[in-house]
Amino acid sequence: MKMKNWKKTLAAVMSLVMTAGCLSSCGTKQTSGSGEEVTLTFLNCWQGSELPSGVDSEHNPVADVIAEKTGVRIKYLACTTSEIERLNLAFATNDIPDIINAPFQGAHNSHTIAIKKAASEGLLTPLNDLIEEYGPNLKDAWSTLDKDFLENDFEPENFEGEHYFFPTGVAATEADVSNNAYNVYARKDILEALGVAPESVNSSEKLYELMKKIKAGNFKDINGQDVIVSGTWHGGWTYEPFYNSYVSQRDMFSSFKHENGEIKLYQNTERYKDQILFMRKIISEGLFDLECQKQTSAIAVEKMATGKVAIVGGHYTKLKQELTGTLYATNPEMEYLPLGPIMNLDGEPYSQGQVRRKGAFGGVVMIGGNTKYPEKAMQFINFMNSEEGMLLNRYGIEGVHYTMVDGKPRLTPEWQEKYEKDPNSLKKEGIGLYGVIRLNNYISAYGESTYGVDPNEDKAYIRAKEASPLLLVDDVYSLNYVAMKYEKYDDILTLMQTGDGGLMQRAMYAATEEEALDLIEQSRDVYERGGIKEFEAWMTEHQNDGQE
Amino acid sequence: MRKRGAPTAQATVAKSEFRKTLVKIDRYRSLYFFLMLAAAWYIVFKYIPLYGITLAFKDFSYADGIFGSDWVGFKYFKTFITNPEFWNMVLNTVKISVLKLCFGFPAGVIFALMLNEITHSASKRVMQTISYLPHFVSWVVIVSIMNKFLSPYGGFINEIRGSFGYEPVFFMGEPGWFYPLVLISQIYKEVGWSSIIYLSAISGVDQELYEAARVDGAGHMRCIWSITIPCILPTIVLQFLLSVGNLMHAGFDQIYLMSNAANSHLSNVLDVYGIEVGIKGGKFSLATAVGLFQSVISFILVISANAISKRVSEISLW
């Protein structure tokens, strides 16, 4: 009997503990005994934002400083699925984190549509009054945006003068505009063996000739296996630089293109056809990785880290990030060198278009409409956007993680070494975790692109930027925004999202050029049946709308 | 003349029947408990969410939710049906599911018959376990294994081909290999699991029938053909009728993972379209319309197949 009572008591205690545990994890906010400190959830809605093991976003040296200054602790939520799925999940279930950083490329981009819809339906907290009272550092948050981006996406008419999100990753000065140097990169040892200077490969056709030489050269990877002549990282990212010679940069900020005075859907232009035919040629001749369009990130990294792919499309930052500790350490002779610059259709060096200071990543920060502590959320965001907060987020705590050297913050030798051995070591300290900062000022304020690297002294990076320069543009009024005024825009949007059932992509894998051309025609028929011709005619008529 | 309020004879009988039922339920309460769990699962996960169907006829608003959003009638059905790729998607979906029905469905029956012929019980158990295992492995893993095995760059199959002097083949990208690979992977993953129900039906066959047949000189094949198959036929027909309901579903995970640019004309199916446009494009109403379209057609197919079966073989679901 006694035993039974003891069991009952134990069961009751356990139930209480479990109930208390469940209740405490329900909801996202807790207040401490003093009632001053709150915990807010922060969704970093970018794929690959998972924290490395051993990182505690709520309790680390930087989190302690933030809590002391603002009374806010941040519970970090990563995005483990695609960004749009995560956003739709949050909005549709009304389970919206307190603070979110998410992609926002503008116009008909799916993230932009979802976020604007959420804002107009009251699921996001209006920012004007909060900024007025608690956010002085965000007062000019929209000042750098281009007119089209600003008036259509950040301040559309139905927001009635209110703001619901502000841009992040905006270059603080022109020096901070990041250039990842998108290009095609080839293994140095192969180029040397073939006697090909990387600068001499300045057109897609010359790239094709180089590919054929590599195929005939019987080159090997570090395991002695045959190389794949060319390829990409995960999911086909990115084969676009391969056909840079068939790209015009006149209208790079829009899905709709100028051709002979008319505005056309990109797929309906001659240059798009040429791009497809170029890809078909290299695929059919065994010069391009057949699997790369569907391969995972892990497979892609495995291939690059073993030097399996002789020519890779992508950017310098990715190569450096993935290969510094692997291929470049074991086989430095296999370093990937940028080719070109490859000349574009207009006879100029192909360059990445970038609207001046708009922000390279196109992300926005917003405060969820259900948050119990909008003021606290704004106080936290405001602090992180102060000079002190930005320095804390980038370098940690003075005297602990960094010291001032000639007026610039530099990691202490101890932390620099730790960082080089394990790039996640700084995250464990809370450095770089809280991505709510509007300005990217790493180069202009601190003189470093990454820790310990002065971009003006990184020769490989300088060469990569020369081969893929940035084209800074002002006063663009994208045709994407003109299109939004079309009466049946919603139908066109659905048509573009559904696409042609993959016909155009399939043309790349066609056995013959005739078959490819036939597939391209079929694809164009699909768009025509969807009403694209009427839309193109309307666009041609209204192409100058919005331009000043 | 019967007194007002007095129970009729019918009512008394009904009452006693009801009491008997209650007594029976009480006697088999543990079984009813298990039934309740299944019923609860169906109610919570299958019936309650049915209210979401209304979303197909509404313009979904995050703030107003499913109930509060505005009615738009058949707008999204029209959008879906007038999509230039509509017929291609329907055709692709039906082709894949018919192939699965023609090859995948009999595979379970044949495998069960084969397993039944293994007399060594330990070997039989090992075989069963091995065949069930792939069912519990996700399609992501299965397709990753296929990618590795069939890779043109050092994949196992192409290495073997290479050793005989053949050129490597990009199996996962060759349109000609798409249907065979869909079927092979489907059968590999599900054949063991789908054979369970037939094995249990076979175990219920009266052993005396086999003994009598053997006395009459029947061999293994004759026993299978004349005893086992006729005895499990009702189970086979019922399973077939239920499978017909899946004709408008090609299976999202498998097809999505196996699709690529080279085979997109074959792999563009309704299931994938619903997810791509609905979840990724945020058009929940359109995705629901696609789902409802699939379900209504499936429902009609099951009803028709059941009616035909009832008329022809007297076996039916209800």
Side-chain angles (χ1 to χ4, degrees):
Chain A
M1 191 70 182
K2 261 186 182 172
M3 187 70 173
K4 221 173 186 178
N5 280 339
W6 180 84
K7 275 186 180 169
K8 268 187 181 169
T9 314
L10 183 68
V13 171
M14 283 177 72
S15 321
L16 271 173
V17 171
M18 284 167 74
T19 314
C22 285
L23 287 177
S24 69
S25 61
C26 291
T28 52
K29 300 106 194 169
Q30 310 160 340
T31 51
S32 69
S34 66
E36 285 177 352
E37 191 177 296
V38 297
T39 299
L40 301 180
T41 47
F42 166 58
L43 170 64
N44 194 11
C45 194
W46 292 84
Q47 260 188 310
S49 61
E50 292 93 336
L51 293 181
S53 62
V55 178
D56 179 350
S57 69
E58 284 179 74
H59 301 99
N60 57 58
V62 169
D64 291 342
V65 175
I66 295 172
E68 188 189 313
K69 299 271 181 184
T70 65
V72 173
R73 279 193 187 272
I74 292 296
K75 185 173 179 170
Y76 182 98
L77 306 174
C79 176
T80 51
T81 167
S82 78
E83 292 93 349
I84 186 63
E85 280 177 55
R86 185 65 184 87
L87 283 174
N88 278 327
L89 180 74
F91 296 141
T93 58
N94 216 357
D95 183 11
I96 308 168
D98 296 310
I99 304 167
I100 306 172
N101 182 336
F104 194 87
Q105 282 93 356
H108 52 248
N109 170 267
S110 58
H111 313 103
T112 305
I113 292 171
I115 292 168
K116 279 166 68 182
K117 185 171 152 77
S120 62
E121 293 181 10
L123 300 189
L124 300 177
T125 298
L127 300 180
N128 287 4
D129 290 347
L130 282 176
I131 288 177
E132 195 60 39
E133 200 162 344
Y134 304 103
N137 295 325
L138 293 167
K139 276 198 171 154
D140 58 350
W142 297 271
S143 62
T144 58
L145 294 174
D146 235 37
K147 181 177 172 250
D148 57 351
F149 203 28
L150 183 70
E151 70 181 28
N152 290 292
D153 289 328
F154 285 84
E155 297 174 351
E157 279 175 18
N158 64 336
F159 284 7
E160 295 173 344
E162 189 55 82
H163 291 97
Y164 293 91
F165 33 80
F166 65 87
T168 57
V170 177
T173 69
E174 206 166 295
D176 295 297
V177 178
S178 54
N179 179 2
N180 284 319
Y182 275 92
N183 200 347
V184 271
Y185 290 78
R187 252 175 53 184
K188 187 166 88 176
D189 59 329
I190 295 178
L191 290 173
E192 282 172 1
L194 293 171
V196 173
E199 299 81 9
S200 68
V201 185
N202 59 4
S203 70
S204 295
E205 280 307 313
K206 284 186 182 166
L207 178 64
Y208 168 63
E209 294 303 322
L210 172 64
M211 286 175 171
K212 286 200 289 191
K213 283 184 193 163
I214 293 174
K215 192 179 183 192
N218 200 22
F219 293 99
K220 305 287 180 192
D221 66 10
I222 61 173
N223 297 321
Q225 301 284 321
D226 289 344
V227 295
I228 300 169
V229 177
S230 70
T232 68
W233 296 90
H234 58 279
W237 180 79
T238 170
Y239 56 81
E240 290 176 9
F242 285 90
Y243 54 68
N244 275 346
S245 288
Y246 302 99
V247 173
S248 169
Q249 285 164 284
R250 182 180 166 196
D251 33 24
M252 63 189 114
F253 298 106
S254 170
S255 308
F256 313 105
K257 309 290 178 186
H258 290 85
E259 190 172 71
N260 305 326
E262 291 177 20
I263 301 298
K264 290 183 176 175
L265 184 73
Y266 203 4
Q267 287 89 325
N268 281 346
T269 60
E270 280 302 296
R271 54 189 188 265
Y272 195 89
K273 187 178 83 182
D274 292 340
Q275 293 164 13
I276 296 281
L277 292 180
F278 178 79
M279 289 306 294
R280 193 212 71 81
K281 183 166 72 176
I282 63 173
I283 290 170
S284 64
E285 293 182 25
L287 305 174
F288 185 77
D289 185 350
L290 292 164
E291 295 176 324
C292 66
Q293 293 223 43
K294 279 287 276 191
Q295 77 192 359
T296 61
S297 184
I299 300 274
V301 171
E302 183 189 319
K303 282 180 179 170
M304 304 311 164
T306 51
K308 179 91 181 160
V309 183
I311 300 175
V312 57
H315 62 53
Y316 175 84
T317 315
K318 177 77 175 169
L319 282 163
K320 182 149 190 182
Q321 181 190 329
E322 299 290 355
L323 304 185
T324 300
T326 53
L327 185 71
Y328 291 178
T330 56
N331 297 67
E333 75 284 359
M334 291 189 182
E335 184 188 350
Y336 284 95
L337 299 181
L339 301 179
I342 292 176
M343 297 297 162
N344 66 17
L345 202 56
D346 312 314
E348 291 161 0
Y350 177 86
S351 36
Q352 276 281 303
Q354 166 79 58
V355 177
R356 201 179 303 273
R357 296 192 57 211
K358 182 170 119 179
F361 299 104
V364 289
V365 167
M366 59 207 120
I367 298 177
N370 299 336
T371 182
K372 284 184 188 164
Y373 305 100
E375 301 85 6
K376 283 282 186 189
M378 182 48 75
Q379 281 167 353
F380 161 72
I381 292 171
N382 185 61
F383 170 71
M384 294 308 287
N385 280 284
S386 66
E387 278 188 23
E388 185 187 359
M390 286 156 83
L391 189 57
L392 179 71
N393 188 58
R394 182 71 179 167
Y395 286 93
I397 301 163
E398 188 171 7
V400 179
H401 303 108
Y402 74 92
T403 52
M404 296 303 281
V405 180
D406 300 331
K408 303 271 184 203
R410 290 290 173 268
L411 288 181
T412 61
E414 179 200 353
W415 277 105
Q416 183 68 36
E417 196 187 330
K418 279 187 189 173
Y419 169 74
E420 279 164 17
K421 273 188 188 159
D422 173 17
N424 292 327
S425 56
L426 295 179
K427 283 192 175 165
K428 289 175 187 163
E429 296 292 297
I431 296 171
L433 280 191
Y434 312 105
V436 294
I437 298 172
R438 185 174 81 85
L439 292 175
N440 163 6
N441 63 348
Y442 305 155
I443 295 170
S444 59
Y446 313 132
E448 288 187 334
S449 51
T450 54
Y451 303 106
V453 177
D454 180 345
N456 299 320
E457 289 176 8
D458 184 350
K459 284 184 185 152
Y461 182 42
I462 291 168
R463 161 70 191 132
K465 285 195 289 186
E466 279 169 6
S468 180
L470 266 191
L471 182 65
L472 292 176
V473 185
D474 289 311
D475 303 328
V476 171
Y477 200 96
S478 168
L479 288 170
N480 289 342
Y481 293 110
V482 177
M484 286 163 81
K485 309 275 189 314
Y486 182 58
E487 194 188 351
K488 293 181 190 166
Y489 176 66
D490 211 34
D491 293 346
I492 297 297
L493 198 61
T494 307
L495 180 69
M496 283 165 63
Q497 280 173 349
T498 318
D500 60 359
L503 285 164
M504 205 59 103
Q505 291 279 307
R506 211 177 113 211
M508 288 192 204
Y509 290 84
T512 63
E513 192 164 307
E514 287 69 35
E515 194 188 325
L517 287 168
D518 184 45
L519 286 164
I520 291 170
E521 279 314 307
Q522 285 182 41
S523 163
R524 289 176 174 175
D525 274 353
V526 171
Y527 287 112
E528 195 171 336
R529 276 182 277 138
I532 210 74
K533 286 286 172 203
E534 294 83 350
F535 170 72
E536 286 178 340
W538 184 91
M539 285 291 286
T540 303
E541 202 179 311
H542 293 83
Q543 57 182 296
N544 294 321
D545 289 4
Q547 309 279 2
E548 283 178 349
Chain B
M1 187 135 179
R2 189 168 61 85
K3 267 188 190 172
R4 189 183 266 260
T8 61
Q10 274 175 328
T12 319
V13 171
K15 213 170 180 182
S16 73
E17 282 293 315
F18 180 65
R19 199 165 290 154
K20 270 185 197 165
T21 311
L22 284 182
V23 170
K24 268 188 191 167
I25 289 177
D26 185 52
R27 190 185 303 156
Y28 299 111
R29 57 183 177 273
S30 52
L31 296 179
Y32 274 97
F33 174 71
F34 284 115
L35 186 66
M36 266 171 59
L37 289 180
W41 186 87
Y42 269 97
I43 290 167
V44 172
F45 294 108
K46 297 284 174 187
Y47 283 94
I48 294 176
L50 278 179
Y51 76 91
I53 288 174
T54 55
L55 195 55
F57 307 95
K58 291 182 164 197
D59 236 340
F60 180 66
S61 144
Y62 289 136
D64 299 330
I66 295 174
F67 286 120
S69 298
D70 294 335
W71 293 96
V72 289
F74 287 88
K75 177 185 167 189
Y76 288 104
F77 288 92
K78 199 181 152 211
T79 308
F80 170 51
I81 289 169
T82 54
N83 184 301
E85 276 293 290
F86 172 75
W87 283 111
N88 189 28
M89 287 189 287
V90 170
L91 218 63
N92 282 341
T93 312
V94 172
K95 264 190 216 165
I96 291 173
S97 29
V98 166
L99 281 172
K100 282 183 178 177
L101 199 64
C102 291
F103 293 93
F105 179 77
V109 182
I110 295 166
F111 189 69
L113 294 171
M114 285 163 70
L115 274 180
N116 191 49
E117 292 304 309
I118 302 175
T119 46
H120 190 257
S121 69
S123 312
K124 188 175 173 178
R125 275 201 300 273
V126 169
M127 281 299 293
Q128 274 179 283
T129 311
I130 290 173
S131 66
Y132 298 163
L133 276 179
H135 172 78
F136 298 100
V137 179
S138 79
W139 273 113
V140 177
V141 176
I142 304 257
V143 176
S144 301
I145 293 171
M146 287 166 72
N147 277 327
K148 275 277 177 196
F149 261 62
L150 302 172
S151 169
Y153 311 111
F156 176 69
I157 303 291
N158 275 311
E159 286 290 294
I160 293 175
R161 283 176 57 86
S163 62
F164 288 104
Y166 292 106
E167 284 290 306
V169 174
F170 180 32
F171 292 101
M172 297 299 279
E174 280 287 333
W177 277 98
F178 179 70
Y179 288 133
L181 288 176
V182 164
L183 287 176
I184 292 168
S185 56
Q186 168 76 19
I187 292 172
Y188 162 73
K189 190 170 184 307
E190 298 300 339
V191 71
W193 190 251
S194 61
S195 70
I196 292 179
I197 197 148
Y198 305 115
L199 270 179
S200 69
I202 291 169
S203 67
V205 178
D206 190 350
Q207 292 301 309
E208 285 182 12
L209 290 173
Y210 293 107
E211 283 160 23
R214 277 191 208 106
V215 170
D216 289 344
H220 266 305
M221 291 311 288
R222 172 52 68 186
C223 284
I224 290 172
W225 193 247
S226 301
I227 301 172
T228 316
I229 291 181
C231 286
I232 65 167
L233 196 62
T235 312
I236 296 175
V237 173
L238 289 181
Q239 286 294 308
F240 181 80
L241 291 177
L242 291 172
S243 304
V244 167
N246 284 328
L247 270 184
M248 290 306 283
H249 297 85
F252 169 73
D253 309 29
Q254 180 193 18
I255 305 301
Y256 181 72
L257 291 162
M258 288 179 68
S259 67
N260 55 42
N263 63 27
S264 57
H265 57 307
L266 306 174
S267 59
N268 192 19
V269 295
L270 293 172
D271 313 61
V272 176
Y273 174 76
I275 299 283
E276 288 280 343
V277 176
I279 307 301
K280 292 194 176 167
K283 292 183 182 294
F284 299 112
S285 299
L286 182 55
T288 314
V290 176
L292 187 57
F293 172 82
Q294 287 175 284
S295 301
V296 168
I297 304 272
S298 300
F299 187 66
I300 294 168
L301 285 172
V302 172
I303 300 267
S304 315
N306 191 56
I308 295 168
S309 168
K310 203 169 184 177
R311 187 161 293 177
V312 175
S313 67
E314 293 181 354
I315 300 168
S316 66
L317 287 167
W318 57 84

